[in-house]
Amino acid sequence: MKRESKERPDNWTLEFYEDGNKKLPCRDWMENDLGDLQHDALVEALTHVLASLGPDVCKTQWGKALGGGLYEFRVRHNASEILSMFEGSAHGPKKGERCFCVSSSTFTARR
């Protein structure tokens, strides 16, 4: 992640981890292994939660520091629920219920 966004300058820009073979494992997992509902929910959560909060996501129910530089990003809603949480609000989720998890170690953090 790095702090920059043309749409909302207070947002973080998310970047997927690229391995030594120029592959993007997390993006590939999202596109190839998740069902449409899970994919859409994850995209909305990344856009509205992780991009908004950055590393501070671990101060909320959406994230957890696991130690050793490893973090968990928790998505507990479908896409429409996530959109409704952020309608008219620039920051901050309102509620949550777990459905699947993604390790944020697949993202990089830069300033």
Side-chain angles (χ1 to χ4, degrees):
M1 287 180 282
K2 61 183 177 180
R3 180 72 92 177
E4 290 175 17
S5 172
K6 291 180 180 167
E7 292 176 15
R8 290 180 35 199
D10 57 334
N11 272 8
W12 291 84
T13 300
L14 303 179
E15 298 176 342
F16 288 100
Y17 164 78
E18 184 176 301
D19 68 16
N21 296 318
K22 302 286 185 192
K23 293 190 180 201
L24 305 169
C26 183
R27 190 187 70 186
D28 293 344
W29 168 75
M30 287 173 61
E31 293 176 357
N32 301 321
D33 297 337
L34 294 181
D36 290 343
L37 294 176
Q38 288 179 323
H39 177 273
D40 293 349
L42 181 54
V43 168
E44 294 302 334
L46 290 171
T47 302
H48 294 288
V49 181
L50 191 57
S52 177
L53 299 174
D56 287 341
V57 74
C58 290
K59 296 177 182 175
T60 72
Q61 65 184 354
W62 293 84
K64 180 177 181 181
L66 301 175
L70 184 64
Y71 300 88
E72 180 178 76
F73 180 55
R74 302 169 175 179
V75 180
R76 300 174 173 183
H77 296 281
N78 65 38
S80 62
E81 290 172 333
I82 293 168
L83 284 171
S84 70
M85 286 179 217
F86 292 91
E87 193 171 290
S89 172
H91 299 286
K94 297 176 188 171
K95 56 181 183 174
E97 184 178 332
R98 178 176 295 205
C99 68
F100 62 95
C101 300
V102 178
S103 169
S104 67
S105 64
T106 56
F107 298 97
T108 57
R110 290 190 216 149
R111 284 203 173 218

